[in-house]
Amino acid sequence: MAGSRVGIIGGSGLLEALGVAGQAEPHVIETPFGPPSGPIFTMELDGVPVALLDRHGAGHMLGPTRVPYRANLFALKVLGVSHVLACGMVGSLREHIHPHHLVIPDQVIDRTYRRPCTFYDDLVVHVEMTEPFCETLRHVLSEVAQESSTGKVHSQATYICIEGPSLSTRAESRMYRTWGGDLIGMTVMPEARLAREAELHYALVAVPTDYDSWQPPLSTAPEAQNTAHFQNRRVAIANALGLLRRSLSRIASAPVQCHCDSVLALGIWSDRSRISNEVRTRLRPLIGKYLPPEVV
């Protein structure tokens, strides 16, 4: 971890929620995939170098389909990020996963269909996704949760990622339960897959705010539903960011013992002699250690 940063990807108001507004240095990064969601802010948080990114941009103006996931992960890689802790709101598909709880998912079912999902349009790369989240990071988050008063934290769950922006029908929500889904959300894919393609250690703390549509709400009054949702959201996000912050020093000091930072060693299937110098240069932050630009 020496000399590396931990990236934190969250929702709107991330700097304010962490209490570091005005203390961080903004970076506007140009990438081959366009601009990221917004400036990336770097600073030291509790003695650990971090890079903070608001997934939906200033004012929450980018819906889940329009989030520039490729630009976001590429920019974090350029800034020297090696580990990414993400936070995102979800609906619960299980009775035992209550709003206010936190969840560290270990599996994903990807139902998105309108999002660019790879960096490698100009060569063939197959990354291993059996375990879509970094097991090292998940273990650290689970350990820290057990040692602190974070509240109930579930250390395993399957996240169903839908395209959005509309929420599920009740029939869809019930179907996802039969698939083995425990959570439903709109942002973990292709974010987790791109993190793997960029050889970043990536884990998510999911924040359930309701029971999705499979379970009727406790109140049929829209005002009461909205009040409960925002109360759950406020408490759960505060708990999630507290868990992420308490995990930083452990992540910075713990040795990395997983394959996330070397998946491309076996993942590049294209004939390397046919990969152009332009592609090698454009994607250098991702593939430079395997395919350095040729000297001409």
Side-chain angles (χ1 to χ4, degrees), residues 58-74:
H60 204 100
M61 298 301 291
L62 297 172
T65 297
R66 291 187 57 230
V67 170
Y69 297 98
R70 293 191 296 181
N72 287 349
L73 274 298
F74 192 96

Side-chain angles (χ1 to χ4, degrees), residues 1-294:
M1 275 295 295
S4 299
R5 295 183 188 276
V6 177
I8 299 178
I9 301 176
S12 298
L14 179 61
L15 292 173
E16 292 78 7
L18 287 170
V20 295
Q23 302 175 34
E25 177 184 359
H27 300 265
V28 178
I29 307 293
E30 292 298 325
T31 84
F33 307 99
S37 297
I40 299 175
F41 294 87
T42 60
M43 61 176 296
E44 281 202 358
L45 189 59
D46 303 331
V48 179
V50 297
L52 310 177
L53 174 63
D54 183 339
R55 183 188 287 112
H56 295 283
H60 204 100
M61 298 301 291
L62 297 172
T65 297
R66 291 187 57 230
V67 170
Y69 297 98
R70 293 191 296 181
N72 287 349
L73 274 298
F74 192 96
L76 290 174
K77 187 79 173 183
V78 168
L79 287 172
V81 166
S82 57
H83 295 59
V84 176
L85 297 175
C87 180
M89 290 180 291
V90 297
S92 170
L93 296 172
R94 299 295 165 191
E95 295 90 341
H96 68 280
I97 301 178
H98 302 171
H100 291 191
H101 290 182
L102 300 180
V103 188
I104 305 168
D106 63 323
Q107 283 297 322
V108 177
I109 297 175
D110 187 2
R111 294 285 292 164
T112 64
Y113 53 88
R114 294 175 56 197
R115 310 174 188 189
C117 62
T118 181
F119 293 113
Y120 305 113
D121 294 323
D122 299 306
L123 64 158
V124 177
V125 172
H126 299 296
V127 294
E128 192 271 327
M129 287 289 290
T130 305
E131 304 296 337
F133 301 98
C134 173
E135 288 298 298
T136 302
L137 279 190
R138 291 187 61 257
H139 181 70
V140 170
L141 289 168
S142 297
E143 274 193 342
V144 172
Q146 292 173 7
E147 296 167 3
S148 62
S149 56
T150 305
K152 179 66 176 179
V153 179
H154 303 269
S155 59
Q156 289 182 312
T158 295
Y159 183 128
I160 306 276
C161 190
I162 62 172
E163 184 64 48
S166 62
L167 304 174
S168 300
T169 67
R170 181 167 290 117
E172 289 170 334
S173 190
R174 288 172 174 168
M175 177 184 70
Y176 295 140
R177 280 166 48 83
T178 69
W179 288 6
D182 303 301
L183 308 170
I184 186 164
M186 301 180 189
T187 56
V188 81
M189 284 300 202
E191 192 172 89
R193 180 180 291 113
L194 292 167
R196 182 63 52 83
E197 285 194 347
E199 297 191 329
L200 296 169
H201 303 271
Y202 176 96
L204 172 75
V205 176
V207 180
T209 59
D210 55 42
Y211 281 107
D212 199 53
S213 56
W214 65 275
Q215 186 177 97
L218 295 177
S219 172
T220 57
E223 297 83 2
Q225 291 181 41
N226 287 338
T227 298
H229 174 85
F230 283 107
Q231 287 176 344
N232 292 337
R233 173 179 169 178
R234 184 174 60 253
V235 172
I237 287 177
N239 288 341
L241 292 178
L243 173 58
L244 295 184
R245 188 161 186 170
R246 286 190 294 274
S247 300
L248 287 176
S249 61
R250 190 78 58 87
I251 292 167
S253 61
V256 175
Q257 296 181 342
C258 68
H259 69 295
C260 294
D261 51 15
S262 60
V263 293
L264 294 183
L266 298 176
I268 299 172
W269 285 37
S270 293
D271 182 343
R272 301 188 183 201
S273 69
R274 293 175 176 267
I275 299 172
S276 72
N277 214 36
E278 185 277 328
V279 170
R280 292 166 182 252
T281 300
R282 172 161 39 94
L283 300 180
R284 185 171 187 168
L286 305 178
I287 63 175
K289 70 181 182 181
Y290 304 102
L291 295 166
E294 297 172 341

